[in-house]
Amino acid sequence: PQAPALQLVPPSACVPFCHQYLPPTATNTTARLAALRGTMRAHGIHAYIVPSTDAHMSEYIAERDSRLGWLTGFTGSAGTSVVTQDKAALWTDSRYWTQAERQLDCNWELQRTTWINSIGLWILEAVPVGGNVSLDPFLFSIDTWNSYSRALHGSGRTLLPIETNLVDQVWGDQRPPPASSKIYSLPAAFTGSSWQEKVAGIRQQMEQHVRRPTAVLLSGLEEIAWLFNLRGDDIPYNPVFYSYTLLTNTSISLFVDKTRLSAEAQQSLQAACPGSLCVELQEYGQARAYLHRYVQGNVTVWLGTEYTTYGLYGVIPQEKLLEDSYSPVMLAKAVKNAKEQELLRAAHVRDAVAVIRYLLWLEKMVPQGQVDEFSGAQHIDRLRWAQEHSRGPSFQSISASG
């Protein structure tokens, strides 16, 4: 008998069929992608790049900043996705290949590399000459922006920063709300020096620098928390809060949601107002506009490129910039004084007590068949919480056997 004629089905018709065979761990992203593509069309964008970072280049991020996770379903801590009108791809490293295969649905191609050159080549193939390739400049470091710029240079495609984040637009009111917990002062017993002393040290470095910078711009969340001896919990397992700082010889501007500062924290920052050791509290969302006004004057802004986004960097004229990989605050924070070293050792001793208690408990419980990896992790967390001064673990306990 004659073989039936082969019918070619357009790829779009395969999607529902393909979804029937996905692992239960995969997220159906069809509606999200359709909405994003509609927004891209409205803005005249042919490809949109979505990274896994936040506006402070944090290694770990809050749920609210998990744009890549929401769009793709992939929850690994490192990755980049690109969406065009008819294709979508995710790039991630070998730690996450198995996880990505289980979490991505068939709208996505998995690219097993993280090289920007590879992303660039894919974009050149997927986007016609004359097309716009767009991204949110507040989610890309200066180096990453430059790498994309080089990858597309002379290709006839335009790299177009767009300050409205398109994923946020599509995510809408489903997006988790901003953090609302209190930002608190670290007790003096736990700081190596007062924030006023730290500020004086940075100002001294500014004066001694051959280029005499007039301001230091801080974007890294941990450097700001360290400088002001403040802590928060905007990001799980990380004692930081969303903020920027512009420190000059005569003024200090902290861009933060000031309604969240505890009374004690506010008092600590504003005890010396007005004056050069008075911290002026500005709205978090006003950092860019404030910086834009500041750089109109005869100024030089010192910054660390590793933690500054292209969105802020691009505001400062090149001749008014002093760039290092890390800001002077990040470097000062890395050198622990005698008091900080003593505090670190004491914290490790308290932690060791919890671990020894845990090992004893395991020796008793494991032979009875009473423990699995999950209940073991819960138990060590409880033992750590019971230690004096505990603020919780620095990452989710990873418990394994065999």
Side-chain angles (χ1 to χ4, degrees):
Q2 198 178 353
L6 195 64
Q7 272 193 309
L8 292 176
V9 184
S12 57
C14 299
V15 172
F17 172 78
C18 143
H19 274 289
Q20 295 168 28
Y21 297 96
L22 283 174
T25 44
T27 304
N28 184 340
T29 62
T30 304
R32 294 170 190 185
L33 279 169
L36 178 62
R37 284 170 172 147
T39 310
M40 286 164 62
R41 278 194 299 276
H43 286 275
I45 291 166
H46 299 87
Y48 191 59
I49 310 173
V50 182
S52 56
T53 52
D54 66 9
H56 301 272
M57 301 291 106
S58 308
E59 184 178 0
Y60 303 101
I61 56 172
E63 274 296 295
R64 180 174 170 79
D65 288 313
S66 185
R67 297 172 179 93
L68 183 82
W70 178 80
L71 182 66
T72 65
F74 169 69
T75 58
S77 69
T80 303
S81 66
V82 182
V83 176
T84 68
Q85 284 304 329
D86 55 356
K87 288 171 113 178
L90 171 83
W91 284 258
T92 190
D93 64 77
S94 57
R95 290 174 299 169
Y96 292 119
W97 292 346
T98 304
Q99 180 178 337
E101 281 169 358
R102 290 177 183 172
Q103 292 184 320
L104 297 176
D105 69 2
C106 41
N107 289 304
W108 293 90
E109 302 168 16
L110 173 59
Q111 304 285 336
R112 290 175 168 79
T113 170
T114 53
W115 291 350
I116 288 176
N117 279 349
S118 143
I119 302 175
L121 287 170
W122 187 93
I123 288 172
L124 293 183
E125 229 167 80
V127 175
V129 173
N132 289 327
V133 179
S134 216
L135 44 74
D136 178 343
F138 291 96
L139 296 181
F140 288 84
S141 71
I142 299 156
D143 283 352
T144 308
W145 169 274
N146 289 337
S147 300
Y148 280 112
S149 193
R150 280 194 299 273
L152 299 177
H153 182 71
S155 71
R157 282 80 168 172
T158 307
L159 189 60
L160 191 70
I162 177 165
E163 290 182 19
T164 310
N165 189 289
L166 303 190
V167 174
D168 293 353
Q169 232 178 346
V170 172
W171 204 348
D173 53 13
Q174 297 299 299
R175 188 178 174 212
S180 57
S181 55
K182 282 290 174 209
I183 297 165
Y184 57 95
S185 283
L186 206 55
F190 293 103
T191 62
S193 38
S194 70
W195 71 259
Q196 291 89 342
E197 289 167 333
K198 293 176 183 179
V199 163
I202 300 303
R203 282 177 169 159
Q204 193 179 352
Q205 285 193 52
M206 290 162 69
E207 270 167 43
Q208 290 168 352
H209 198 286
V210 62
R211 281 202 51 201
R212 287 292 180 91
T214 59
V216 173
L217 175 66
L218 305 178
S219 296
L221 300 183
E222 61 271 51
E223 60 183 349
I224 296 170
W226 176 85
L227 182 65
F228 294 113
N229 292 333
L230 296 177
R231 298 291 185 268
D233 47 20
D234 293 13
I235 298 175
Y237 306 109
N238 291 263
V240 295
F241 52 92
Y242 288 106
S243 52
Y244 294 99
T245 298
L246 191 70
L247 170 65
T248 77
N249 287 315
T250 55
S251 68
I252 309 163
S253 299
L254 174 61
F255 301 86
V256 69
D257 178 355
K258 56 182 168 211
T259 61
R260 296 178 48 215
L261 286 166
S262 71
E264 194 188 359
Q266 193 150 349
Q267 164 62 25
S268 146
L269 297 175
Q270 300 199 295
C273 290
S276 65
L277 284 172
C278 161
V279 178
E280 293 161 24
L281 301 173
Q282 313 275 357
E283 280 308 308
Y284 172 74
Q286 291 302 306
R288 183 185 182 278
Y290 187 98
L291 183 63
H292 184 70
R293 284 195 301 277
Y294 179 76
V295 297
Q296 304 308 308
N298 180 22
V299 297
T300 303
V301 180
W302 193 2
L303 55 77
T305 54
E306 290 287 325
Y307 285 85
T308 310
T309 63
Y310 184 77
L312 280 182
Y313 174 84
V315 168
I316 309 165
Q318 207 61 41
E319 69 278 5
K320 297 180 181 183
L321 256 174
L322 170 56
E323 297 174 49
D324 277 318
S325 292
Y326 299 99
S327 80
V329 174
M330 199 62 100
L331 294 177
K333 171 187 164 298
V335 181
K336 304 302 178 193
N337 62 30
K339 174 77 182 289
E340 287 168 320
Q341 290 180 38
E342 179 196 319
L343 290 163
L344 280 167
R345 291 191 188 101
H348 277 286
V349 169
R350 292 194 300 275
D351 191 66
V353 171
V355 174
I356 292 164
R357 285 184 172 161
Y358 179 57
L359 294 175
L360 264 170
W361 178 83
L362 278 181
E363 280 178 24
K364 197 167 72 186
M365 302 303 282
V366 169
Q368 300 172 25
Q370 301 275 321
V371 190
D372 59 28
E373 284 88 340
F374 184 62
S375 65
Q378 286 181 306
H379 190 72
I380 194 167
D381 285 350
R382 280 195 294 274
L383 291 171
R384 284 188 161 126
W385 269 116
Q387 288 299 315
E388 200 184 0
H389 311 307
S390 172
R391 303 289 315 195
S394 60
F395 54 85
Q396 201 171 355
S397 288
I398 301 168
S399 170
S401 67

